[in-house]
Amino acid sequence: MAEQNVTTELWVERTGTRAYTGRSSRGAEVLIGSQGVEGVFTPGELLKIALAACTGLSSDLPLSRRLGDSFDATIRVSGDADRENELYPQLDEVMELDLSELDEQARERLLVTVQRAVDKVCTVGRTLKTGTKVTLEFDIDA
């Protein structure tokens, strides 16, 4: 069965002072707020998590082919903001995998395959590496 190309609507709604809830038309929610507020992600943290999740999803098929469907993986992501320029100059990912069952050559081949998959299909990583145009319009009740 082919996957339908249906666009998911995304939006945030203000829920309090410097607090928003991100929503999708598929029913997902994420709490967003300022640094220091418990139980919420900051927008920058969501950016980092989106990158790590994209890396994980992009590498899932080649890893499951070689390691089986029940393999464990954790992708940690970090990078401090440059507050003077309000951007992240560098984001660093570390993928934690147990490859002890593979010999050195098999590990190297698998990691090359995973890196190629991530470079080819991780939309978030590719967007961050090349940059993107962002626009803002206003819909005003006057």
Side-chain angles (χ1 to χ4, degrees):
M1 182 174 161
E3 189 175 315
Q4 292 182 347
N5 192 6
V6 177
T7 300
T8 300
E9 291 185 44
L10 302 170
W11 67 97
V12 297
E13 294 174 354
R14 187 173 191 266
T15 55
T17 303
R18 298 187 53 77
Y20 286 77
T21 298
R23 302 187 190 279
S24 85
S25 58
R26 294 194 326 271
E29 293 183 352
V30 62
L31 302 178
I32 306 163
S34 297
Q35 181 81 30
V37 176
E38 290 298 312
V40 302
F41 290 106
T42 67
E45 290 166 343
L46 288 173
L47 176 77
K48 293 175 195 176
I49 286 173
L51 176 62
C54 190
T55 295
L57 290 168
S58 298
S59 62
D60 207 70
L61 189 58
L63 285 170
S64 64
R65 276 190 193 134
R66 189 64 176 92
L67 304 175
D69 283 336
S70 62
F71 75 91
D72 292 325
T74 300
I75 298 103
R76 300 192 187 276
V77 60
S78 61
D80 293 330
D82 171 352
R83 288 296 169 209
E84 185 176 323
N85 295 301
E86 288 300 333
L87 56 81
Y88 293 97
Q90 180 169 331
L91 297 176
D92 300 303
E93 294 180 283
V94 176
M95 183 179 289
E96 299 171 1
L97 295 167
D98 179 357
L99 302 181
S100 60
E101 299 294 315
L102 304 179
D103 65 36
E104 186 175 343
Q105 287 182 332
R107 280 195 302 269
E108 287 178 23
R109 281 193 309 270
L110 179 58
L111 295 178
V112 166
T113 301
V114 167
Q115 184 69 61
R116 284 184 185 148
V118 171
D119 290 345
K120 183 177 179 183
V121 299
C122 178
T123 306
V124 175
R126 292 172 58 84
T127 298
L128 288 171
K129 289 174 184 175
T130 61
T132 193
K133 178 182 175 183
V134 178
T135 65
L136 173 63
E137 296 179 18
F138 297 93
D139 184 357
I140 306 295
D141 292 338

